[in-house]
């Protein structure tokens, strides 16, 4: 069981997801520099309570499931500021966590299995269609690929990929994002996403 550095966020990162970060806290600047020097990844976990930026009086509650993040690009526009582009790789379960130097969270983590992909059932196809329309709209609007919240290949025929991208994009409660991340069944994840999308549709009123 490996001990990994953790980066708690209010949003969830799923495998194959895109993560853009502006890093300025000492605890994370040191962590990122070490990860880059060692070619290592770090763990992103959902922040169930507390603030992303540490406060003297604050406390943080971490979800028990997360995703490893690979650093693809790092820029330093000024001292004590790093801009990162990362990709989610594999899920893990957080067995325990402790505070380390500068308040950095470190966690004992065990990898979770990669679920087998599943084709999208006919009744869940509207979720994939809506995501495809969202992607096409961003492309028509000329959104640069590097600025898009999701990256190719666009696997719109895979339950897990479609569910994971919606889970990152939708304004769901942190606890719900963590629950979805912990679901091994991609069809179950997409079914939960479609329920959420239907709740946000105009036909559902203010629900």
């Amino acid at each position: 069981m490996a001990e990994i550095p953790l980066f708690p966020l209010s949003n969830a990162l799923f495998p194959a997801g895109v993560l853009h970060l502006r890093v300025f806290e000492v605890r994370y600047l040191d962590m990122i520099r070490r990860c880059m020097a060692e070619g290592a990844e770090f763990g992103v976990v959902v922040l169930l309570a507390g603030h992303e930026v540490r406060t003297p009086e604050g406390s943080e509650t971490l979800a028990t499931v997360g995703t490893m993040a690979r650093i693809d690009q790092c820029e330093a526009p000024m001292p004590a500021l790093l801009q990162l582009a990362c990709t989610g790789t594999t899920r893990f379960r957080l067995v325990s966590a402790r505070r380390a130097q500068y308040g950095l969270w470190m966690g004992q983590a065990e990898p979770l299995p990669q679920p087998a992909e599943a084709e999208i059932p006919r009744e869940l196809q509207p979720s994939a269609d809506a995501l495809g329309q969202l992607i096409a709209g961003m492309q028509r609007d000329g959104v640069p690929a590097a600025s898009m919240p999701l990256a190719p290949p666009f696997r719109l025929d895979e339950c897990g990929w479609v569910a994971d991208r919606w889970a990152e994009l939708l304004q769901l409660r942190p606890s719900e994002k963590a629950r979805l991340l912990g679901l091994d069944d991609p069809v179950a994840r997409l079914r939960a996403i479609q329920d959420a999308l239907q709740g946000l549709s105009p036909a559902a009123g203010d629900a």
Side-chain angles (χ1 to χ4, degrees), residues 3-168:
E3 186 174 57
I4 58 172
L6 300 174
F7 202 123
L9 291 173
S10 56
N11 196 14
L13 176 67
F14 285 71
V18 173
L19 178 64
H20 296 282
L21 290 173
R22 287 171 55 86
V23 177
F24 52 86
E25 289 188 74
V26 172
R27 56 176 172 170
Y28 296 134
L29 290 169
D30 181 65
M31 179 196 81
I32 294 301
R33 289 176 179 132
R34 282 189 286 108
C35 284
M36 292 186 64
E38 299 168 6
E41 299 180 354
F42 61 93
V44 175
V45 290
V46 179
L47 186 62
L48 300 177
H51 300 283
E52 292 182 350
V53 177
R54 190 182 181 200
T55 59
E57 69 281 359
S59 61
E60 300 161 355
T61 302
L62 312 182
T64 57
V65 64
T67 300
M68 298 302 295
R70 180 186 70 237
I71 302 171
D72 297 322
Q73 185 176 353
C74 178
E75 297 179 353
M78 62 182 67
L81 176 64
L82 298 176
Q83 293 182 336
L84 305 179
C86 306
T87 299
T89 59
T90 56
R91 298 181 307 148
F92 63 86
R93 187 166 302 284
L94 190 61
V95 177
S96 63
R98 66 176 180 88
R99 292 276 198 179
Q101 190 177 23
Y102 307 126
L104 178 71
W105 283 102
M106 299 291 295
Q108 292 284 339
E110 56 184 16
L112 290 174
Q114 175 65 27
E117 248 325 323
E119 293 184 1
I120 298 176
R122 181 175 299 179
E123 68 272 15
L124 300 180
Q125 188 60 43
S127 298
D129 293 343
L131 186 60
Q133 291 167 6
L134 180 64
I135 293 169
M138 287 189 284
Q139 292 173 332
R140 282 195 307 270
D141 293 341
V143 177
S147 300
M148 290 179 66
L150 64 178
F154 301 130
R155 305 200 299 268
L156 293 167
D157 59 341
E158 296 181 5
C159 262
W161 192 88
V162 172
D164 293 351
R165 302 295 74 79
W166 274 127
E168 292 166 341

